[in-house]
């Protein structure tokens, strides 16, 4: 088992822009990842299994709902702290960060923002502690980039709702205790419903044979005449803006998380290039490898600045959905490119589980697609700057 020697790059001294609290939160997450995730993650990725024993640790470092108020069990942190935690977790593994992102932004966030006080008090403390794990049901077999076309629906049966339909590509689904599910009512209006494991007709079959996010549990949500209590409807938001508001928070976390994956690949490649000798000198002394490494640190630095500024805007309530889309698209694309370049620096060793690079590269192939594909985010920016929608 190789020690985790990671050293975070900070070429433009961005630490000077962070508060003492930001750095304390980040460093606690970094040390936890080094201690609890790095030593085991390659084995779990090889086994295609999520390491459930780390759930309590994720809760301890504030990874579940870090910005949720303390009265509901959250840490009451700001948006930059949330981003830094996601950065450090994804430095360990994108699948582990997915678990934390879903719990925070796609389950706790809608209950906090769209739920009532009874729902907040019932679910949020248990989600924050990791006693409950949640998942988010939006994507369907036939409706991914166009969620408005969803088929999943519910009918008012007087004393309860009757839910039917299916969702797929759902992180955490196989072990989730609750699901925040988006479905259409009889008028075709989209609402959020809290569905609990154990409700008759609700099942969560696991998705197997993934080459990406192998250490993350992915599954389907099947609703076959599920009776959902009326008090489980999220009352304070309806329409597609509900799930899209959750996705804004999740995409923001991904923008930070992707930097973590990129930093890990860069740090691994830099260390290897200094140690690997060919033609009587370290490969770090060759022009082509220096070009790769110099471009990596440049792109990481640009992404750090982009995301820090977005965090400031989020804290001030000024960040737009389009700005969040830009950061998600740019940073994941950046990280994937760096992973590929880093793999080349390591040569044949780059494909082995002895190093993290190939695992990051495979994971990022999912990250560049979920929470809005690379192309959809491009069109969101296009709509924002031209005023013309080009989605269809």
């Amino acid at each position: 088992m190789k020690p985790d020697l990671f050293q975070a790059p900070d070429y433009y001294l961005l630490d000077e822009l962070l508060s003492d609290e930001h750095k304390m939160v980040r460093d606690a997450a970094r040390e936890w990842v080094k201690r609890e995730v790095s030593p085991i993650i390659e084995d779990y990725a090889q086994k295609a299994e999520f390491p459930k024993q780390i759930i309590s640790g994720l809760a301890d470092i504030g990874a579940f709902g870090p910005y949720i108020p303390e009265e509901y069990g959250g840490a009451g942190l700001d948006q930059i702290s949330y981003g830094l935690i996601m950065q450090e977790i994804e430095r360990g593994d994108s699948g582990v960060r997915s678990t934390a992102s879903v719990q925070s932004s796609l389950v706790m966030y809608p209950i906090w923002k769209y739920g009532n006080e009874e729902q907040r008090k019932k679910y949020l403390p248990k989600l924050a502690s990791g006693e409950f794990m949640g998942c988010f049901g939006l994507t369907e077999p036939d409706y991914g980039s166009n969620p408005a076309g969803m088929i999943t629906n519910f009918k008012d049966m007087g004393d309860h709702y009757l839910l039917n339909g299916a969702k797929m590509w759902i992180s955490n689904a196989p072990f989730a205790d609750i699901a925040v599910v988006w479905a259409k009512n009889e008028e075709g209006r989209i609402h959020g419903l809290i569905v609990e494991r154990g409700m008759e007709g609700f099942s969560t079959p696991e998705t197997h044979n993934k080459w990406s996010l192998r250490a993350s549990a992915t599954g389907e949500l099947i609703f076959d005449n599920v009776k959902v209590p009326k008090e489980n409807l999220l009352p304070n938001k309806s329409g597609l803006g509900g799930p899209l508001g959750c996705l804004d928070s999740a995409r923001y976390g991904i923008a930070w998380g992707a930097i973590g994956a990129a930093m890990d690949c860069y740090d691994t490649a830099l260390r290897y290039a200094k140690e690997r000798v060919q033609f009587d000198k370290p490969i770090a002394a060759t022009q082509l490898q220096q070009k790769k490494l110099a471009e990596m640190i440049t792109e990481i630095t640009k992404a750090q600045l982009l995301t820090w500024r977005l965090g400031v805007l989020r804290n001030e309530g000024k960040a737009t959905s389009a700005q969040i889309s830009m950061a998600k698209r740019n940073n994941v694309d950046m990280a994937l490119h760096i992973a590929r370049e880093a793999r080349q620096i390591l040569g044949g060793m780059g494909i082995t589980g002895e190093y993290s690079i190939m695992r990051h590269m495979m994971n990022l192939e999912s990250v560049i697609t979920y929470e809005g594909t690379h192309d959809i985010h491009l069109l969101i920016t296009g709509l924002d700057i031209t005023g013309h929608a080009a989605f269809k």
Side-chain angles (χ1 to χ4, degrees):
M1 186 180 297
K2 296 186 68 172
D4 185 342
L5 303 174
F6 174 72
Q7 291 183 299
D10 185 13
Y11 203 72
Y12 264 40
L13 307 181
L14 265 79
D15 266 21
E16 296 181 4
L17 298 174
L18 303 178
S19 70
D20 289 342
E21 182 179 61
H22 291 148
K23 287 180 277 193
M24 181 181 69
V25 167
R26 179 200 62 196
D27 292 348
R30 183 171 295 168
E31 288 307 310
W32 178 81
V33 167
K34 285 192 173 194
R35 185 177 67 251
E36 303 294 337
V37 178
S38 299
I40 66 167
I41 197 63
E42 299 296 346
D43 286 342
Y44 276 86
Q46 291 283 359
K47 293 188 294 185
E49 182 181 335
F50 174 73
K52 291 183 182 178
Q53 70 271 24
I54 68 172
I55 287 174
S56 61
L58 285 166
D60 290 343
I61 63 169
F64 297 152
Y67 49 79
I68 299 293
E70 293 180 67
E71 64 182 297
Y72 302 120
L77 300 171
D78 74 349
Q79 290 291 305
I80 291 176
S81 292
Y82 164 50
L84 288 165
I85 293 171
M86 294 302 107
Q87 172 186 282
E88 296 306 314
I89 296 174
E90 189 144 0
R91 203 279 299 178
D93 187 74
S94 300
V96 177
R97 196 268 311 139
S98 294
T99 293
S101 279
V102 168
Q103 185 87 337
S104 298
S105 291
L106 301 183
V107 181
M108 297 179 73
Y109 179 89
I111 293 173
W112 174 44
K113 285 291 189 181
Y114 311 148
N116 56 35
E117 194 65 11
E118 183 181 350
Q119 292 166 341
R120 294 183 193 112
K121 289 179 177 178
K122 179 179 179 180
Y123 295 108
L124 291 179
K126 290 183 177 181
L127 290 163
S129 70
E131 180 183 347
F132 278 6
M133 294 300 293
C135 63
F136 176 84
L138 180 63
T139 298
E140 297 189 358
D142 294 320
Y143 292 96
S145 295
N146 176 27
M150 70 173 64
I151 296 171
T152 300
N153 66 90
F154 65 98
K155 295 179 180 179
D156 189 334
M157 305 303 289
D159 61 344
H160 65 272
Y161 297 119
L162 199 63
L163 178 65
N164 282 283
K167 306 288 183 176
M168 72 181 306
W169 304 121
I170 310 300
S171 294
N172 300 355
F175 58 75
D177 300 288
I178 68 169
V180 173
V181 178
W182 300 93
K184 289 179 177 176
N185 65 11
E186 290 159 279
E187 289 74 46
R189 186 75 176 169
I190 294 171
H191 290 266
L193 297 155
I194 301 171
V195 181
E196 300 180 18
R197 185 171 296 282
M199 290 182 175
E200 189 176 352
F202 175 41
S203 58
T204 59
E206 187 164 2
T207 302
H208 297 288
N209 297 322
K210 298 181 300 177
W211 287 110
S212 181
L213 296 181
R214 289 175 58 82
S216 175
T218 309
E220 300 173 58
L221 304 177
I222 309 296
F223 313 107
D224 182 8
N225 288 322
V226 179
K227 293 181 179 179
V228 181
K230 286 200 164 180
E231 60 265 27
N232 284 29
L233 181 93
L234 298 177
N236 296 324
K237 187 76 171 180
S238 66
L240 194 57
L244 293 183
C246 305
L247 291 173
D248 273 352
S249 182
R251 290 163 176 170
Y252 168 75
I254 290 170
W256 281 92
I259 295 173
M263 291 196 303
D264 196 59
C265 292
Y266 165 77
D267 182 66
T268 301
L270 178 61
R271 186 176 293 107
Y272 186 90
K274 289 177 177 180
E275 296 171 353
R276 174 68 169 168
V277 175
Q278 290 291 283
F279 304 107
D280 302 320
K281 64 180 180 180
I283 62 173
T286 64
Q287 289 185 357
L288 286 176
Q289 305 311 319
Q290 287 193 9
K291 175 181 184 293
K292 290 185 176 73
L293 292 164
E295 288 176 342
M296 286 183 198
I297 191 59
T298 301
E299 293 306 313
I300 288 171
T301 301
K302 286 157 63 176
Q304 287 174 318
L305 288 164
L306 178 72
T307 314
W308 172 80
R309 177 58 185 161
L310 184 61
V312 172
L313 293 174
R314 288 275 288 175
N315 280 340
E316 295 174 351
K318 296 178 181 176
T320 67
S321 297
Q323 288 169 334
I324 295 167
S325 277
M326 177 183 283
K328 191 271 184 182
R329 178 181 180 274
N330 178 82
N331 291 8
V332 180
D333 183 61
M334 172 275 299
L336 188 52
H337 181 72
I338 285 176
R340 289 168 177 162
E341 291 291 277
R343 208 289 305 158
Q344 290 209 59
I345 290 175
L346 267 68
M349 291 304 295
I351 71 165
T352 71
E354 186 174 349
Y355 296 92
S356 61
I357 292 171
M358 196 70 181
R359 176 171 49 81
H360 282 306
M361 191 191 309
M362 292 191 298
N363 285 343
L364 288 164
E365 288 289 352
S366 288
V367 182
I368 205 167
T369 294
Y370 71 25
E371 313 278 354
T373 69
H374 188 68
D375 292 342
I376 286 293
H377 285 298
L378 187 75
L379 296 180
I380 290 171
T381 303
L383 168 61
D384 195 49
I385 61 177
T386 68
H388 294 283
F391 298 100
K392 57 183 180 179

